[in-house]
Structures are given as C-alpha cells and as structure tokens.
Amino acid sequence: MENNALNKINRVDSNLRDEMLAEQFLNQVMNDFKRSKILKEIDQSLKNKDKETFLHLTEKLKSIA
C-alpha cells in the first residue's frame, strides 16, 4: 500500500517536473523570438537614423527576461 502511494507521488512529481521544464523551454523560445525581432527592428532604426525608435526599442529589449 505504502509503495503504491510512493509510486503515485513519484509520477506526479515527474509530471510536474516535465510540465515545468516544458514551460521554461517555451518561455525561453518566446523570449529568444522577441529578442531577435526587436534586434532586427533596432538594426532598421539605425539604418533609418531614427533615434526615437532606437531608444524605444532598446528599452523594450531591456525588459525581456
């Protein structure tokens, strides 16, 4: 009986750990995508010599975790 309960707890812990890892992975992928997009926009603002947009985008980039 006790062993069965421990197996259930281990499965729950394993499922929770997998869920947390998947969530961390997705968050990292999303942040990488956002960062890449902003960096391209920063490059474009530099080409256009658009200081206001550049400053806005660099602040936005800083806010990405």
Side-chain angles (χ1 to χ4, degrees):
M1 180 74 151
E2 185 177 314
N3 194 22
N4 192 24
L6 288 175
N7 285 338
K8 286 181 182 178
I9 290 172
N10 285 338
R11 269 187 260 127
V12 169
D13 287 347
S14 178
N15 288 341
L16 183 59
R17 183 176 50 249
D18 290 347
E19 185 178 325
M20 290 173 64
L21 285 172
E23 187 174 343
Q24 287 177 336
F25 174 77
L26 289 174
N27 285 337
Q28 184 64 47
V29 168
M30 287 299 297
N31 283 341
D32 290 349
F33 175 78
K34 289 176 187 177
R35 188 176 295 110
S36 175
K37 185 177 176 188
I38 292 171
L39 287 170
K40 286 178 185 176
E41 291 175 3
I42 287 173
D43 286 346
Q44 190 61 47
S45 71
L46 288 170
K47 286 178 187 175
N48 295 338
K49 299 179 182 179
D50 185 349
K51 183 178 180 179
E52 185 177 326
T53 301
F54 171 80
L55 293 173
H56 170 73
L57 290 169
T58 54
E59 285 302 314
K60 193 173 178 181
L61 184 61
K62 290 177 190 177
S63 71
I64 297 177

